[in-house]
């Protein structure tokens, strides 16, 4: 049996300002003091029964759905002042050198950069109950109030039927907050990582406060908010296990100390486009070694 083909997926790295996380690390080797990042990252622990990265701590996200690329989404945005041309001008960084993932969409009329963002927002809401939407600016109309109990009910409904996400946004005059998501990276699951493989777009969202999170306790069993440095430390010490893309990305974030610098970096980095990365796993007597971008055997 040959390798399993990749399924398209979308992931959201949620980074939230956390004023309590600012602390000093004492480096015993050279007595240099380093300030921890002033933000925390949302990590979700996958169930031990999961067929993909069981027990791993990952970013929220999952497989894309046809509903994420429905032409009705463009109609919804158009009704609230964002026509196709305006959306394309804001989110299509380049017409050339696009990652292959953006060419693989179920509907040729959609804008890939919009559809994959909608997918990341929908998946994040399904897994965590955190809804990255903003009120539509409508003259003469007022938004209905979306209460906590309503959110719980819609979280369940969308989990069972992705088409319900558009229904939610129409009912409450909401727009998926595409503007808060920055393109970050594109990862391919290696050939020998189990029965499922994904071609995943990673986005970054930086927010000012840690939101309330609601998990189902089945697919996701735990939520961990921690700064990148301590997440890496917990992984090294064996307290948690980070999947290779998560570990790599957290190492990148650990180099950025403040939320303000993070926002500036994400915005400028997005303009340079992204690459598609395929880690290589090599087996030896001691176990597996994962070769990540920039490394060599």
């Amino acid at each position: 049996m040959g390798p399993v083909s990749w399924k398209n997926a979308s992931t959201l790295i949620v980074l939230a300002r956390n004023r309590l996380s600012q602390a000093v690390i004492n480096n015993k080797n050279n007595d240099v003091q380093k300030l921890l990042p002033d933000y925390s990252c949302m990590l979700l622990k996958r169930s031990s029964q999961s067929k993909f990265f069981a027990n791993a701590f990952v970013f929220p996200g999952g497989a894309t759905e046809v509903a994420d690329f429905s032409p009705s989404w463009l109609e919804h945005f158009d009704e609230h002042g964002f026509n196709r041309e305006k959306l394309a001008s804001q989110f299509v960084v380049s017409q050339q050198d696009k990652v292959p993932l953006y060419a693989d969409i179920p509907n040729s009329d959609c804008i890939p950069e919009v559809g994959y963002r909608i997918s990341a927002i929908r998946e994040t809401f399904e897994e965590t109950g955190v809804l990255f939407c903003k009120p539509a600016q409508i003259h003469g109309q007022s938004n209905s109030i979306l209460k906590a109990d309503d959110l719980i009910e819609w979280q369940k409904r969308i989990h069972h039927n992705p088409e319900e996400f558009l229904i939610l946004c129409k009912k409450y005059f909401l727009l998926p907050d595409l503007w808060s998501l920055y393109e970050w990276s594109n990862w391919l699951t290696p050939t020998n990582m189990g029965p499922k493989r994904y071609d995943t777009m990673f986005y970054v969202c930086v927010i000012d406060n840690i939101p309330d999170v609601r998990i189902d306790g089945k697919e996701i069993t735990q939520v961990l908010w921690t700064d990148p440095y301590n997440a890496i430390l917990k992984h090294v010490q064996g307290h948690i296990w980070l999947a290779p893309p998560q570990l790599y990305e957290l190492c990148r974030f650990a180099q950025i100390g403040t939320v303000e610098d993070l926002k500036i970096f994400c915005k400028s980095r997005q303009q340079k486009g992204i690459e598609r990365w395929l880690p290589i796993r090599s087996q030896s007597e001691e176990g597996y070694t994962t070769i990540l971008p920039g490394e060599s055997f």
Side-chain angles (χ1 to χ4, degrees):
M1 182 178 177
V4 179
S5 61
W6 288 288
K7 292 183 64 175
N8 295 347
S10 198
T11 283
L12 185 56
I13 305 172
V14 181
L15 303 170
R17 190 190 302 271
N18 183 3
R19 295 169 180 82
L20 298 178
S21 68
Q22 280 251 312
V24 173
I25 307 169
N26 290 312
N27 189 324
K28 297 180 180 179
N29 295 325
N30 55 17
D31 294 328
V32 173
Q33 291 187 334
K34 179 181 178 181
L35 196 65
L36 283 174
D38 70 351
Y39 56 89
S40 296
C41 179
M42 180 199 291
L43 293 170
L44 308 177
K45 186 177 183 181
R46 297 185 64 83
S47 164
S48 60
Q49 305 302 314
S50 175
K51 295 181 180 180
F52 186 74
F53 286 153
N55 292 315
F57 279 83
V58 299
F59 307 128
T64 60
E65 300 286 349
V66 173
D68 301 326
F69 301 89
S70 169
S72 297
W73 276 112
L74 291 184
E75 295 172 6
H76 181 61
F77 278 99
D78 193 10
E79 290 173 2
H80 301 296
F82 298 93
N83 61 27
R84 183 186 184 89
E85 291 70 26
K86 188 170 185 178
L87 289 174
S89 68
Q90 293 177 332
F91 298 109
V92 180
V93 177
S94 173
Q95 294 292 348
Q96 300 177 344
D97 301 325
K98 287 179 177 289
V99 290
L101 188 63
Y102 277 162
D104 188 6
I105 51 177
N107 191 313
S108 59
D109 291 334
C110 76
I111 302 174
E113 291 83 351
V114 170
Y116 278 97
R117 280 178 168 84
I118 290 174
S119 180
I121 292 170
R122 174 187 56 75
E123 279 287 338
T124 299
F125 180 58
E126 286 184 28
E127 293 185 336
T128 70
V130 179
L131 183 60
F132 288 103
C133 287
K134 66 177 187 177
Q137 300 297 320
I138 307 175
H139 297 290
Q141 292 180 328
S142 60
N143 292 357
S144 301
I145 298 176
L146 191 56
K147 300 177 181 178
D149 289 344
D150 296 327
L151 282 171
I152 294 172
E153 179 60 28
W154 280 102
Q155 185 180 3
K156 295 177 182 177
R157 289 174 60 172
I158 294 170
H159 177 76
H160 291 294
N161 181 7
E163 294 179 1
E164 293 278 353
F165 187 32
L166 177 57
I167 296 173
L168 164 68
C169 290
K170 286 185 174 182
K171 178 179 176 62
Y172 292 96
F173 304 110
L174 298 172
L175 294 176
D177 193 1
L178 313 177
W179 299 267
S180 68
L181 272 62
Y182 299 101
E183 288 182 357
W184 185 256
S185 58
N186 177 205
W187 287 82
L188 290 167
T189 308
T191 58
N192 53 353
M193 283 293 291
K196 293 186 178 182
R197 303 174 70 199
Y198 293 94
D199 185 354
T200 307
M201 183 64 65
F202 282 65
Y203 295 97
V204 174
C205 180
V206 185
I207 55 180
D208 285 330
N209 297 288
I210 294 177
D212 294 330
V213 176
R214 297 180 302 276
I215 59 174
D216 61 10
K218 297 177 181 178
E219 294 182 13
I220 302 299
T221 60
Q222 183 181 342
V223 180
L224 175 65
W225 285 97
T226 182
D227 67 84
Y229 179 88
N230 276 302
I232 297 165
L233 184 62
K234 290 177 185 293
H235 173 82
V236 171
Q237 293 175 339
H239 300 309
I240 67 173
W241 179 60
L242 295 167
Q246 275 72 14
L247 177 60
Y248 186 87
E249 299 297 9
L250 286 167
C251 287
R252 297 173 72 189
F253 288 119
Q255 309 304 311
I256 305 174
T258 70
V259 165
E260 301 309 322
D261 287 343
L262 186 63
K263 291 179 179 178
I264 293 171
F265 180 81
C266 288
K267 186 175 182 178
S268 63
R269 198 230 60 76
Q270 179 175 255
Q271 300 305 313
K272 299 178 181 179
I274 53 179
E275 297 177 338
R276 198 184 205 186
W277 291 345
L278 173 61
I280 304 299
R281 298 186 81 217
S282 176
Q283 188 174 12
S284 65
E285 294 181 356
E286 298 179 352
Y288 281 99
T289 299
T290 301
I291 310 302
L292 295 172
E295 300 176 339
S296 61
F297 288 97

